[in-house]
Amino acid sequence: MEKEAAKRRVEQLHALINKYNYEYHTLDDPSVPDSEYDKLMKELIALEEEHPDLKMPDSPSQRVGGAVLDAFQKVLHKTPMLSLGNAFNEEDLRDFDRRVRQAVGDVEYNVEFKIDGLAVSLRYENGVFVRGATRGDGTTGEDITENLKTIRNIPLRMKRDFSIEVRGEAFMPKRSFELLNQARLERDEEPFANPRNAAAGSLRQLDPKIAAKRNLDIFVYSIAELDEMGVETQSQGLDFLDELGFKTNHERKKCSTIEEVIEIVEELKTKRADLPYEIDGIVIKVNSLDQQEELGFTAKSPRWAIAYKFPAEEVVTTLLDIELSVGRTGAVTPTAILEPVKVAGTTVQRASLHNEDLIKEKDIRLLDKVVVKKAGDIIPEVVNVLVEQRTGEEKEFNMPKECPECGSELVRIEGEVALRCINPECPAQIREGLIHFVSRNAMNIDGLGERVITQLFHEDLVHNVADLYKLTREQLINLERMGEKSTDNLLKSIEKSKENSLERLLFGLGIRFIGAKAAKTLALHFETLDKLKKATKEELIEVDEIGDKMADALVTYFEKEEILKLLDELEELGVNTVYKGPKKAAAEASDSYFAGKTIVLTGKLSEMSRNDAKAEIEALGGKITGSVSKKTDLVIAGEAAGSKLAKAEELNIEVWDEARLISELKK
DNA sequence: TTACCTCGAGATCA
DNA sequence: CTCGAGGTAA
């Protein structure tokens, strides 16, 4: 076909296919038979093959699955993808309502289904879908764009040319799940355990053609930058998403009191079994975006929303045994070994019993019939014992007096529930310590998992973390299941870990009370391991967020002769001991007006987005916090600022409008 | 805690 | 081809 004609036809095909697709999948109201759709799609693919330059990034042909990837890339979320707080009963809902009303006064709620799938974010640039990602740890997820493109309800081009990030829940409808498993059984393949796992598995395929065949679906529920879209409430936001061509869930209701919310929750609950997709709860959101903003966030979730979780399924099984394991800190933890049983879509055979007290309190005995559920639908838990079903065969369980790994006496430190092995030479502790050292948030040494560490330890090749850096190619290649490739990869990642910034090393050392967060704080403050080693308790306590306990633990740790020797050894082996992250640097030293000040943003900004304002102020050394207190130095009030402005006036805190902020930022 | 995908190792067969 | 480790998700 001649070029110009081909181009026109391709454009026409885009429009037609997109229209039919939208009608079929999003509106559920097709105007042409499937065969027509298939015919057009075939024609489009053929044309694109003939004229590759006509293949647009938003071409509907991508629905059938693009190129095979060799790995998923990391994606940084523009705004973090947080999880929601949970409510398990009416009481929790009323508490939530009380907290909300205390902070912002009268509210309206929007009640929505909580779809049981995987959270994804979808990035659009100038109206075109450019990147889709999993939630990951909330900050960084995986790029699954190609797989998401195969979901027909995700518009490849929105109806308006915005650049936005929307959030939604990808899932597999119950019907698709059943058909898929039926087909798998016929092909003698293992069926998937439940629709959620099937959906997650499909989206983690490197070949998008497989994902394309899985009939996934999505409900979209938010835009990260809603306030910049002229939308004022969550429910308007959902309508707006509909207008943009997304599929939202239409089972949603606005409520003005918590009693009404509870009523709606009860009503929605009854629909659960009849829905064509699985839900694991109901989400209640403060409807007004201004009020949402005012409520803000805790460290891990928004204060303006809560997820009502359905009561967890409970199942009876037999407790076969209690297994003991010794952790990195020497704590001995009992784990229940259960007769395998299906709970909430998966098979459960182990459940942590946490400590001796819990076993005593619930009077758990070996061979007891126990009730098991999955707390938060993930972690298995022994709820209680069916005492009335005892046969007399059951045996009481007593924690051992000696460490199951090294035989030394276990102690129970006052005020603690855990029994501890305090032998510093205990092999279990050393092994666990090594595993922790190489783990992802610590030194992040790829290819060095639990199994390899255990082998190295047993082969007497590694006794402490410094030994890891002395391993040779010959030693590694002779291990079980280690070939050329694995060995080279491992050596490379060990080498790479030498360059890690100080906080990773600090966290990896496993000093008591020093988690990832404290390690970062210390690294940032002291900058070198040397300075930290020499810090006195007083100096440590002075650091923000480092308290008495952490300071003591650090001092005790760095007093030990063998520890100092180990650290010197690491340094000699080439392990970096200085902080490499972004410096608080420029910020605090900056002579900007904002430097060192604690600032609160409230109300709607019109010229710049809240995120940009935050970033710019922080770059100049200001600290943005969520609520006004007497520690606040300055409040920036946009339009329609609410209680935070009132509070600022009450406390006599300086208040600026947006114009003043912008002029100061320009300096 | 379990399920799923991907990879490399090593066994087995050609 | 099967196994198991490692990573990720809820």
Side-chain angles (χ1 to χ4, degrees):
Chain A
M1 198 187 289
E2 184 247 323
K3 192 60 182 276
E4 272 311 300
K7 187 165 179 237
R8 278 196 302 278
R9 182 58 180 161
V10 163
E11 279 164 11
Q12 200 175 21
L13 286 169
H14 277 202
L16 280 172
I17 295 173
N18 283 334
K19 175 169 177 279
Y20 296 153
N21 190 46
Y22 181 68
E23 286 170 356
Y24 184 94
H25 289 280
T26 308
L27 301 181
D28 206 13
D29 182 21
S31 65
V32 294
D34 292 0
S35 57
E36 176 67 11
Y37 178 91
D38 294 342
K39 201 182 89 195
L40 296 177
M41 184 66 98
K42 278 204 186 104
E43 187 187 345
L44 176 62
I45 291 170
L47 270 175
E48 285 176 344
E49 261 168 37
E50 198 182 327
H51 307 278
D53 53 315
L54 292 181
K55 186 161 178 171
M56 309 310 279
D58 60 335
S59 165
S61 66
Q62 316 225 4
R63 302 285 193 198
V64 299
V68 179
L69 308 174
D70 50 63
F72 295 116
Q73 301 299 307
K74 298 276 169 222
V75 177
L76 205 63
H77 296 301
K78 214 174 154 208
T79 29
M81 293 183 79
L82 302 169
S83 51
L84 295 182
N86 289 326
F88 297 101
N89 49 47
E90 288 183 17
E91 183 61 20
D92 293 347
L93 288 175
R94 291 204 175 90
D95 284 346
F96 166 71
D97 179 57
R98 217 166 290 136
R99 287 195 300 274
V100 166
R101 284 176 194 275
Q102 197 152 42
V104 297
D106 203 20
V107 287
E108 180 180 57
Y109 292 110
N110 197 52
V111 182
E112 307 164 23
F113 279 148
K114 185 172 188 304
I115 313 296
D116 191 13
L118 313 62
V120 296
S121 84
L122 311 171
R123 176 90 215 146
Y124 286 79
E125 307 252 339
N126 302 317
V128 178
F129 176 50
V130 291
R131 177 155 300 109
T134 61
R135 200 176 87 94
D137 63 2
T139 319
T140 319
E142 280 184 322
D143 186 335
I144 50 167
T145 312
E146 292 307 314
N147 285 331
L148 287 172
K149 276 182 179 171
T150 69
I151 300 182
R152 311 246 166 179
N153 273 316
I154 296 180
L156 298 176
R157 176 184 284 279
M158 290 187 294
K159 293 190 176 162
R160 311 262 285 274
D161 284 351
F162 294 134
S163 293
I164 54 173
E165 195 165 304
V166 307
R167 302 274 157 88
E169 190 85 1
F171 63 96
M172 185 178 287
K174 288 179 188 168
R175 180 84 188 123
S176 308
F177 171 74
E178 282 157 19
L179 289 172
L180 175 63
N181 267 357
Q182 217 176 309
R184 283 175 79 90
L185 284 173
E186 276 162 23
R187 272 176 281 149
D188 249 351
E189 293 168 351
E190 272 298 301
F192 286 105
N194 56 56
R196 214 203 54 229
N197 280 333
S202 305
L203 288 176
R204 291 192 51 72
Q205 296 281 346
L206 290 176
D207 182 357
K209 292 209 168 50
I210 301 179
K213 293 192 183 103
R214 292 288 171 81
N215 282 314
L216 299 177
D217 204 338
I218 191 170
F219 282 122
V220 163
Y221 53 74
S222 81
I223 304 179
E225 309 88 341
L226 252 189
D227 51 340
E228 289 155 45
M229 304 273 106
V231 168
E232 284 171 358
T233 64
Q234 165 67 13
S235 48
Q236 281 174 19
L238 290 169
D239 295 340
F240 184 58
L241 283 163
D242 278 334
E243 276 170 42
L244 291 176
F246 292 99
K247 179 167 156 186
T248 64
N249 192 298
H250 287 242
E251 293 280 355
R252 53 194 194 226
K253 288 241 167 63
K254 286 180 272 188
C255 302
S256 47
T257 67
I258 196 68
E259 294 311 318
E260 212 181 316
V261 168
I262 290 167
E263 230 171 84
I264 297 294
V265 164
E266 288 307 315
E267 186 192 317
L268 291 180
K269 247 187 191 175
T270 63
K271 298 190 176 179
R272 186 179 184 188
D274 300 323
L275 294 171
Y277 43 83
E278 300 218 325
I279 58 174
D280 58 347
I282 288 161
V283 178
I284 295 99
K285 292 178 180 168
V286 168
N287 207 19
S288 151
L289 299 186
D290 279 347
Q291 286 180 329
Q292 287 187 6
E293 206 164 277
E294 222 175 309
L295 283 155
F297 299 84
T298 68
K300 43 183 189 162
S301 53
R303 290 202 189 85
W304 43 264
I306 197 162
Y308 171 84
K309 292 290 205 98
F310 295 129
E313 184 194 352
E314 298 192 337
V315 178
V316 176
T317 188
T318 311
L319 184 143
L320 302 174
D321 196 5
I322 292 178
E323 202 178 83
L324 296 163
S325 63
V326 184
R328 172 166 63 89
T329 60
V332 178
T333 320
T335 302
I337 306 301
L338 306 164
E339 179 74 42
V341 64
K342 285 260 181 207
V343 191
T346 60
T347 313
V348 167
Q349 42 191 352
R350 314 167 60 86
S352 173
L353 296 173
H354 304 291
N355 54 59
E356 188 176 13
D357 288 4
L358 183 130
I359 297 175
K360 290 272 174 292
E361 190 186 303
K362 296 193 171 168
D363 188 22
I364 295 170
R365 302 182 190 180
L366 300 175
L367 297 180
D368 260 336
K369 291 272 177 264
V370 291
V371 175
V372 174
K373 72 167 182 186
K374 288 210 247 154
D377 267 358
I378 299 176
I379 315 280
E381 179 186 311
V382 173
V383 182
N384 57 17
V385 172
L386 297 179
V387 178
E388 66 278 16
Q389 289 200 28
R390 281 194 178 146
T391 63
E393 291 291 297
E394 296 77 13
K395 286 198 201 64
E396 248 181 79
F397 175 81
N398 288 305
M399 290 290 274
K401 298 264 182 296
E402 289 97 30
C403 173
E405 296 270 350
C406 71
S408 59
E409 198 182 342
L410 295 177
V411 298
R412 186 161 172 172
I413 297 163
E414 234 183 73
E416 284 188 20
V417 283
L419 272 182
R420 261 176 219 287
C421 167
I422 50 166
N423 169 16
E425 316 263 300
C426 174
Q429 287 179 56
I430 295 175
R431 202 188 61 229
E432 296 298 315
L434 287 166
I435 291 169
H436 170 75
F437 185 80
V438 306
S439 71
R440 213 142 82 76
N441 291 321
M443 296 300 268
N444 191 24
I445 304 183
D446 281 347
L448 201 49
E450 213 171 313
R451 198 193 134 104
V452 181
I453 290 277
T454 307
Q455 257 193 89
L456 289 169
F457 187 66
H458 278 139
E459 300 281 322
D460 256 3
L461 292 171
V462 172
H463 307 97
N464 61 41
V465 296
D467 291 342
L468 290 171
Y469 294 95
K470 299 179 194 159
L471 289 168
T472 64
R473 199 162 186 283
E474 291 69 50
Q475 288 173 334
L476 288 173
I477 212 155
N478 285 326
L479 295 177
E480 262 172 67
R481 301 190 62 82
M482 283 293 274
E484 297 259 335
K485 180 109 181 167
S486 305
T487 303
D488 287 341
N489 285 344
L490 177 51
L491 284 170
K492 243 184 260 166
S493 49
I494 292 178
E495 202 55 31
K496 199 176 92 195
S497 77
K498 289 184 180 172
E499 302 306 316
N500 282 335
S501 179
L502 174 60
E503 67 276 15
R504 284 184 173 272
L505 176 62
L506 269 184
F507 175 55
L509 290 172
I511 307 166
R512 274 214 89 190
F513 305 118
I514 307 301
K517 180 91 194 295
K520 180 100 192 228
T521 309
L522 290 165
L524 188 72
H525 188 271
F526 289 96
E527 291 183 331
T528 71
L529 181 60
D530 233 30
K531 287 191 206 154
L532 176 61
K533 271 196 276 193
K534 292 182 192 132
T536 62
K537 182 176 173 186
E538 288 69 36
E539 286 168 333
L540 287 163
I541 291 182
E542 267 183 36
V543 181
D544 239 3
E545 294 175 325
I546 302 295
D548 201 63
K549 267 169 128 180
M550 287 192 202
D552 273 336
L554 286 161
V555 171
T556 323
Y557 184 80
F558 289 120
E559 263 169 12
K560 291 190 188 127
E561 204 54 51
E562 68 273 18
I563 296 291
L564 294 175
K565 230 178 88 190
L566 177 75
L567 295 176
D568 285 343
E569 214 180 338
L570 281 171
E571 212 159 347
E572 268 164 45
L573 288 161
V575 177
N576 167 60
T577 59
V578 303
Y579 176 67
K580 290 184 171 178
K583 300 273 185 251
K584 53 189 165 175
E588 260 171 48
S590 103
D591 53 1
S592 149
Y593 179 88
F594 302 106
K597 291 215 161 74
T598 300
I599 298 154
V600 173
L601 295 170
T602 183
K604 194 150 94 192
L605 300 181
S606 49
E607 295 288 315
M608 56 198 314
S609 82
R610 176 168 289 246
N611 271 338
D612 291 346
K614 182 167 184 254
E616 287 195 38
I617 292 171
E618 280 172 347
L620 291 169
K623 192 170 144 196
I624 304 289
T625 59
S627 60
V628 178
S629 74
K630 57 179 190 291
K631 284 190 182 165
T632 310
D633 298 303
L634 172 66
V635 171
I636 315 275
E639 247 171 85
S643 72
K644 280 193 254 188
L645 177 58
K647 182 102 184 263
E649 279 160 0
E650 187 185 312
L651 291 170
N652 245 334
I653 292 165
E654 189 170 5
V655 178
W656 289 6
D657 60 11
E658 188 179 0
R660 175 85 197 273
L661 170 68
I662 291 169
S663 73
E664 187 66 35
L665 284 172
K666 277 191 186 138
K667 280 188 191 168

